[in-house]
């Protein structure tokens, strides 16, 4: 179904002709991995909540489906739009308010970039703790819609734990505004938690209020080399027990480190089968107690420690550049899964074996957020449309009672396997909520649920 000129003109009347596109939609139509390519008929970029509301009312009246898009850094084909559907970009909703020192909270438009919010908090001597490699282009609205996790979940929780207020436009065009930031507000259903992680299928987040945390001046990054994953788990367990200053515990392996090093000329301080990258933030120097903890755990492997920004960044690049480095090897099939931390060794072994048995020429890169049991399994080799490997890997996850989506969401990439992590009654209940809020099924119809 092509969109009528009248409809496009009506959109132009709302947001201005320079913010409605019907040609050259490539950058909006293709996801970050290059695996999912849509055919949206139009992109509209409203600048205010009122413009979003008027666009939604117009689309609802004409039964036109809307796919919200923020920074388009999602990794599950969540902003896929097809003929006759439009992409609503939030990029112009990028205002950021002054930090509210009294409540230690900040408010921002959904299009504000994660890193910009981190910087605004820093200027007030505070910290927005959600952080991950796409910080420079992911929008705060996108992190809400995906309930993004990242490298500091271990200490601060996921995005849902940071939200104290929100504003959203429903499929009807109605606006919900609840930006008060009251920490205690037990007045019925928590609609914000429902919208968080809903992947644009229930409404468009237009603004958010976030809690901030204190900044601890002393940052220490520690890289440890291990022969076994069991050793990694032992070390992470020990540091979690003894250090409430532990922000991150990231695991990766020799093959990924070599690939990052070769691709981006990043120095690997020492060779090892497995690596654990630990990051601490505290007011006092931690190095002595860190070494005492390593001694208590009889750690005798190689290590590198960094306390200044430059050297900390060098160590972190070894981990954070995995995503980009893997994408230079081809379009990966990306799996973002959770299993019990104690199951990690067996799970990683099982996945590698299953992929190898399927095709010995395919590459498997595993890395991730070890303390959360959240592994990113990337398989390079299968063609983009060959879902046989997705079936294989996600069934291994189910065998370990794991989640087929730890932090990236379901999008269009995983919806076929939602029942591996959710029971039929859960799925039916979620669909009932969707029907109640979006009776015409116009909000991001390609994501989350198979039709
Ligand atoms: P988009 O990709 O534009 O959209 C993502 C989903 O949210 C879509 O379903 C879209 O419809 C919906 N959406 C977007 N904005 C809104 C809105 N305002 N209202 C309603 N729905 C909306 N994710 C993690 O969780 N942890 C990581 O560690 C992590 N690391 C990454 C590293 C790299 C290098 C890259 C490329 C991505 C990474 N991601 C990670 C994935 C991604 O960055 C996150 O999912 C992020 O939250 C997406 O934000 P976005 O603005 O780009 O959203
Ligand atoms: C990460 O932790 O680096 C991301 O979630 C991205 C990825 O899975 O590639
Ligand atoms: Zn991740």
């Amino acid at each position: 179904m092509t969109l009528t000129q009248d409809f496009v003109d009506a959109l132009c009347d709302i947001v201005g002709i320079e913010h409605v596109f019907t040609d050259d939609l490539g950058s909006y139509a293709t996801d970050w991995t290059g695996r999912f390519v849509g055919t949206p008929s139009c992109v509209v970029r409203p600048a205010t909540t009122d413009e979003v509301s008027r666009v939604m009312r117009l689309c609802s009246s004409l039964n036109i489906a809307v796919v919200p898009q923020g920074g388009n850094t999602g990794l599950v084909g969540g902003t896929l739009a097809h003929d006759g559907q439009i992409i609503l970009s939030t990029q112009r909703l990028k205002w950021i308010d002054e930090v509210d020192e009294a409540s230690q909270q900040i408010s921002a438009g959904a299009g504000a970039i994660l890193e910009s919010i981190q910087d605004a908090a820093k200027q007030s001597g505070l910290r927005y703790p959600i952080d991950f490699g796409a910080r420079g282009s992911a929008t705060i609205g996108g992190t809400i819609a995906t309930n993004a996790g990242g490298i500091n979940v271990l200490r601060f929780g996921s995005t849902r734990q940071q939200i104290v207020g929100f504003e959203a436009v429903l499929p009807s065009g109605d606006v919900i505004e609840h930006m008060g930031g009251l920490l205690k507000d037990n007045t019925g259903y928590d609609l914000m938690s429902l919208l968080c992680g809903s992947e644009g299928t229930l409404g468009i987040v237009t603004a958010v209020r976030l809690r901030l945390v204190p900044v601890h001046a002393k940052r220490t990054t520690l890289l440890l080399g291990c022969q076994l994953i069991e050793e990694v788990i032992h070390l992470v367990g020990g540091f979690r027990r003894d250090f409430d200053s532990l922000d991150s515990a990231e695991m990766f392996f020799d093959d990924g480190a070599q690939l990052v090093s070769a691709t981006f000329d990043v120095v690997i301080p020492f060779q090892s089968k497995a690596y654990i990258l630990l990051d601490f933030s505290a007011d006092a120097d931690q190095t002595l107690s860190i070494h005492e903890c390593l001694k208590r755990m009889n750690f005798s492997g190689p290590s590198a420690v960094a306390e200044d920004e430059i050297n900390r960044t060098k160590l972190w690049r070894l981990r954070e550049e995995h995503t980009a480095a893997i994408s230079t090897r081809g379009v990966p099939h990306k799996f973002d899964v959770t299993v019990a931390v104690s199951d990690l060794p067996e799970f990683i072994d099982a996945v590698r074996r299953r992929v190898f048995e399927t095709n010995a020429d395919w590459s498997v890169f595993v890395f991730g957020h070890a303390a959360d049991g959240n592994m990113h399994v990337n398989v390079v080799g299968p063609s983009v449309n060959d879902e046989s490997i997705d079936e294989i890997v996600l069934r291994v996850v189910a065998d370990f009672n794991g989640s087929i989506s730890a932090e990236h969401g379901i999008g269009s990439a995983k919806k076929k396997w939602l029942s591996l992590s959710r029971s039929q009654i859960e799925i039916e209940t979620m669909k009932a909520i969707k029907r109640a809020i979006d009776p015409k099924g116009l909000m991001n119809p390609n994501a989350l649920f198979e039709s």
Side-chain angles (χ1 to χ4, degrees), residues 75 250 319-320 323 334 367 369 376 378 407-408:
L75 298 171
E250 301 290 309
R319 160 62 179 88
E320 290 218 325
T323 308
K334 298 181 72 71
F367 62 99
H369 315 285
H376 299 306
N378 287 239
E407 57 180 9
H408 297 166

Side-chain angles (χ1 to χ4, degrees), residues 265-277:
D265 200 20
V266 175
V267 175
I268 307 176
F270 50 81
Q271 295 306 320
S272 184
K273 278 217 182 94
Y275 296 85
I276 183 72
L277 186 75

Side-chain angles (χ1 to χ4, degrees), residues 143-263:
T143 67
I144 309 286
T146 57
N147 188 28
I151 61 177
N152 297 324
V153 169
L154 157 60
R155 184 171 181 181
F156 302 103
S158 294
T159 295
R160 188 175 281 122
Q161 279 79 44
Q162 320 309 325
I163 311 167
V164 291
F166 78 104
E167 181 195 66
V169 175
L170 298 176
S172 59
D174 292 334
V175 178
I176 295 181
E177 195 274 326
H178 205 80
M179 288 287 278
L182 301 177
L183 294 184
K184 288 182 174 176
D185 180 10
N186 275 359
T187 49
Y189 301 158
D190 183 351
L191 300 177
M192 183 63 249
S193 287
L194 181 64
L195 269 170
C196 185
S198 65
E199 302 183 38
T201 60
L202 297 179
I204 298 184
V205 175
T206 45
V208 65
R209 192 170 177 85
L210 304 160
R211 72 164 189 155
L212 302 176
V213 298
V215 166
H216 299 290
K218 207 72 190 116
R219 304 295 298 268
T220 310
T221 302
L222 176 67
L223 183 68
L224 302 173
C226 303
Q227 292 310 304
L228 298 170
I229 301 172
E230 287 81 353
E231 211 184 332
V232 170
I233 294 170
H234 171 64
L235 291 166
V236 172
F239 279 108
R240 286 189 74 175
R241 201 182 35 249
D242 297 353
F243 291 80
D244 55 12
S245 59
L246 184 64
D247 289 356
S248 319
E250 301 290 309
M251 178 165 69
F252 53 96
F253 298 93
D254 184 37
D255 54 358
Q258 296 292 346
L259 178 66
V260 168
S261 176
T263 310

